[in-house]
Amino acid sequence: MITPLPASTPATPAPILSPIEARVLGTLMEKARTVPDSYPLTLNTLLLGCNQKSSREPLMELTEADIADALHTLKDANLVRESSGSRTTRFEHNFQRGIGVYEQAAVLLGLLMLRGPQTAGELRLNTERWYKFADISSVEGFLEELQDRALEKGGPLVVKLARGPGTREQRWAHLLCGPVDATQTGVSRSSDSLAGNSTERIERLELEVAKLRETVQKLCTELGVAPPEPL
């Protein structure tokens, strides 16, 4: 089902974001869907989300001052709002209304801001916690609409990159931080990101195995039996 467009669709091009502003905006969009109980976010929680080591490309080491400056600019652009009714100032995104796109398109743009260029298949997989697309063709359909977006609606918001050596699928990149060279492939950055994610998964698995071994050792001691030999 296609979510209706917001009532106010901008007739001017979307503002050009800095990489830090894109990270802040993308993080707010992510946390609104993945941790709704903690949303809107405080400045400190937003900082942690922007600097997290997983699901980010590139990795950043931002300060509170960096985040505050980005929030100020995003509020002026009507892309972020401060929420009321709390002792601590909290922030929420206004992306869909501020840019004037469908919910599904906003999800894809948010993932591209956070993880860099991706194929339609990667986007469908990575958006599982945000929105469940029926299939890859539906992802491609929204990407093509964003690429062909009319000038009176603000112009294109994504571009399809050139196919990399030895790859079957082309990657897509967002244009919210300005024009992108469509002849680049985006392969090396995505490959580095995938390698980083694989390393993180291996480290987590090794930690879990170590904890399981410790638990088995304690149980065997309590039962008075010899622990199993390691494989």
Side-chain angles (χ1 to χ4, degrees):
M1 182 180 70
I2 295 178
T3 304
L5 277 173
S8 57
T9 302
T12 56
I16 301 299
L17 306 177
S18 71
I20 295 177
E21 291 160 5
R23 175 59 54 85
V24 168
L25 189 56
T27 300
L28 286 170
M29 296 167 70
E30 175 191 57
K31 302 307 181 185
R33 290 180 172 275
T34 58
V35 287
D37 292 343
S38 304
Y39 187 82
L41 303 183
T42 63
L43 180 62
N44 184 61
T45 305
L46 178 56
L47 174 64
L48 294 174
C50 289
N51 288 340
Q52 70 183 53
K53 302 304 181 184
S54 60
S55 305
R56 299 291 184 266
E57 174 61 39
L59 298 180
M60 290 185 174
E61 291 291 342
L62 304 180
T63 65
E64 284 194 4
D66 294 329
I67 303 295
D69 288 343
L71 286 169
H72 178 75
T73 303
L74 291 168
K75 285 189 290 182
D76 287 345
N78 195 34
L79 294 174
V80 165
R81 297 180 298 211
E82 286 187 22
S83 64
S84 57
S86 174
R87 296 180 187 177
T88 305
T89 303
R90 292 177 176 268
F91 303 92
E92 59 185 348
H93 76 86
N94 187 42
F95 185 84
Q96 190 178 340
R97 184 176 297 277
I99 299 296
V101 293
Y102 292 116
E103 178 187 12
Q104 295 90 332
V107 166
L108 295 173
L109 288 167
L111 258 294
L112 289 172
M113 282 191 285
L114 287 180
R115 297 195 178 197
Q118 298 162 74
T119 66
E122 289 169 338
L123 283 166
R124 187 194 177 205
L125 178 64
N126 292 332
T127 54
E128 278 289 312
R129 295 180 66 196
W130 294 37
Y131 183 92
K132 292 188 181 296
F133 288 92
D135 47 38
I136 293 177
S137 63
S138 63
V139 173
E140 292 173 335
F142 281 104
L143 289 168
E144 288 166 1
E145 286 185 12
L146 289 170
Q147 181 174 243
D148 299 334
R149 195 168 184 248
L151 291 177
E152 58 266 24
K153 291 186 177 181
L157 293 175
V158 300
V159 62
K160 197 172 190 178
L161 304 178
R163 184 178 287 107
T167 60
R168 298 175 57 186
E169 296 182 68
Q170 292 173 261
R171 285 172 167 77
W172 294 81
H174 74 84
L175 298 174
L176 292 166
C177 291
V180 172
D181 181 5
T183 62
Q184 67 172 301
T185 63
V187 171
S188 60
R189 294 176 62 195
S190 292
S191 297
D192 291 342
S193 177
L194 289 173
N197 289 339
S198 296
T199 300
E200 291 170 9
R201 287 196 295 270
I202 291 171
E203 290 175 351
R204 286 198 298 269
L205 287 171
E206 289 176 344
L207 180 59
E208 290 175 5
V209 169
K211 289 180 178 177
L212 287 172
R213 284 177 177 168
E214 184 179 351
T215 300
V216 170
Q217 180 70 45
K218 289 180 179 178
L219 288 172
C220 289
T221 301
E222 292 175 0
L223 294 172
V225 299
E229 293 291 330
L231 296 176

